[in-house]
């Protein structure tokens, strides 16, 4: 048996007792020997065997058997795990490092039992599902709004009549339905035509499964490699060889200057992009001039806007910083 170790404490592992001595094994014992010794002692000191007996002499009584059984279980829990056993052996060999033993013991006791990887995976999946259904809700909201706009509704109704879709809803005989059912079916037909004919961009565009967080994380290495290859190609073509920018490259530079995402830039009208190209906004100096012009135009609009006039009037007469008495 191992020699008694100094520095044992009641709050760590087996307390003042050495776990190897509790199970009656040596420090070189294998996991099978430790498990065999634990099973033998557990059968011998199980509290059910001492139920109903008085707590009289030594080794008798349910309470004493229960305490002995808990000590045996603590020793087995300490020695059955390789990492915990390694920490315990280190404590026996270095009893003076009390605070280190205290830290390692409670770090293992208080560490979460669930794998952190599983928690992160479940969280990402939950966010992705919520993201996908939220985008679908926004897309359906945009379709419902467009179906209520007379301009788009009339065009969709005309296309449905030309394709003969509305005539199928007004059947006679046994298949005749109520007006409410016919109206609902016509509404769905109009919405389907709007979905197929109108290209919605921006925040209300049709959601794609590759845009959710889970797929973005999985495809991140591919996107990074693709970006590195593209960046090297850009440096080689336009910096080293000095080639002129194409239309796509010019629009890319303009979008970067405007600090807009790809979806935001795609939602702009075609005539706006043509204006950008005509004014050569991919050149930094031209873009700075255009930016100042837009800021001045915005200031003029704000100055002429009645709402802003009312706001400035309120700030001057009744806004913060003025103290008045109000007559009831």
């Amino acid at each position: 048996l191992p020699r008694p170790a100094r520095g044992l404490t009641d709050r760590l592992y087996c307390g003042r007792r050495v776990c190897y001595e509790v199970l009656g094994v040596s420090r070189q014992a294998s996991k099978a020997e430790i498990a065999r010794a634990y099973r033998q002692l557990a059968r011998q000191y199980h509290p059910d065997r001492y139920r109903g007996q008085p707590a009289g002499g030594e080794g008798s009584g349910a309470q004493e058997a229960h305490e002995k059984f808990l000590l045996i279980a603590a020793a087995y829990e300490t020695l059955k795990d390789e990492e915990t056993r390694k920490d315990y052996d280190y404590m026996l060999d270095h009893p003076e490092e009390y605070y280190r033993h205290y830290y390692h013991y409670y770090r293992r006791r208080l560490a979460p039992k669930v794998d952190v990887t599983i928690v992160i995976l479940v969280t990402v999946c939950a966010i992705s599902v919520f993201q996908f259904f939220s985008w679908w809700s926004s897309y359906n909201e945009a379709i419902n709004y467009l179906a209520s706009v007379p301009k788009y509704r009339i065009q969709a109704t005309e296309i449905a009549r030309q394709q003969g879709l509305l005539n199928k809803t007004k059947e006679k005989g046994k298949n005749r339905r109520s007006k409410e059912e016919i109206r609902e079916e016509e509404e769905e037909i109009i919405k389907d035509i709007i979905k197929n004919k109108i290209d919605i961009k921006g925040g209300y565009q049709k959601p794609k499964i590759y845009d959710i967080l889970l797929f973005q994380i999985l495809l991140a290495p591919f996107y990074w490699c693709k970006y590195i290859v593209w960046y090297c190609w850009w440096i080689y073509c336009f910096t080293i060889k000095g080639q002129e920018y194409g239309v796509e490259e010019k629009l890319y530079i303009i979008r970067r200057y405007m600090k807009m995402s790809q979806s935001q830039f795609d939602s702009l009208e075609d005539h706006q992009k043509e204006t950008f190209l005509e004014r050569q906004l991919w050149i930094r100096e031209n873009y700075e001039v255009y930016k100042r012009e837009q800021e001045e135009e915005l200031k003029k609009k704000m100055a002429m806007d009645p709402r802003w006039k009312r706001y400035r009037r309120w700030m001057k007469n009744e806004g913060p910083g003025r103290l008045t008495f109000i007559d009831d």
Side-chain angles (χ1 to χ4, degrees), residues 51-188:
R51 185 171 297 173
Q53 296 185 13
E58 183 179 357
S60 63
Q63 181 63 28
E64 186 175 349
H66 179 70
E67 294 176 358
K68 183 70 174 178
F69 182 78
L70 292 179
L71 182 61
I72 294 170
Y76 179 66
E77 289 293 329
T78 301
L79 300 180
K80 74 174 184 178
D81 183 70
E82 292 294 336
E83 297 297 327
T84 308
R85 184 178 179 180
K86 187 184 299 183
D87 290 341
Y88 184 70
D89 290 342
Y90 186 87
M91 187 185 76
L92 294 178
D93 297 332
H94 305 84
E96 69 280 357
E97 300 181 16
Y98 171 77
Y99 293 106
R100 181 185 184 278
H101 309 322
Y102 194 92
Y103 166 74
H104 280 276
Y105 175 78
Y106 281 100
R107 188 192 67 173
R108 295 189 182 278
R109 289 290 299 273
L110 301 177
K113 303 301 181 182
V114 182
D115 190 1
V116 179
T117 306
I118 298 177
V119 175
I120 295 175
L121 181 61
V122 172
T123 304
V124 170
C125 291
I127 294 174
S128 301
V129 171
F130 174 79
Q131 199 176 35
F132 186 74
F133 283 102
S134 176
W135 285 347
W136 262 113
S137 177
S138 300
Y139 176 70
N140 291 329
E141 182 180 349
I143 294 298
N144 293 332
Y145 170 74
L146 293 175
S148 64
V149 177
K151 173 184 175 181
Y152 301 110
R153 188 176 185 85
I154 293 172
Q155 294 179 5
T157 305
E158 186 64 28
I159 294 174
R161 286 200 183 97
Q162 293 175 1
Q163 296 178 358
L165 299 176
L166 296 181
N167 297 331
K168 296 180 181 180
T169 61
K170 300 177 181 179
E171 297 175 350
K172 298 181 180 180
K174 295 181 180 180
N175 297 328
R176 187 174 182 180
R177 288 162 295 175
S178 63
K179 293 182 179 180
E180 186 66 26
E181 293 175 346
I182 295 174
R183 189 180 302 110
E184 291 178 359
E185 187 172 350
E186 290 179 352
E187 191 71 21
E188 291 299 325

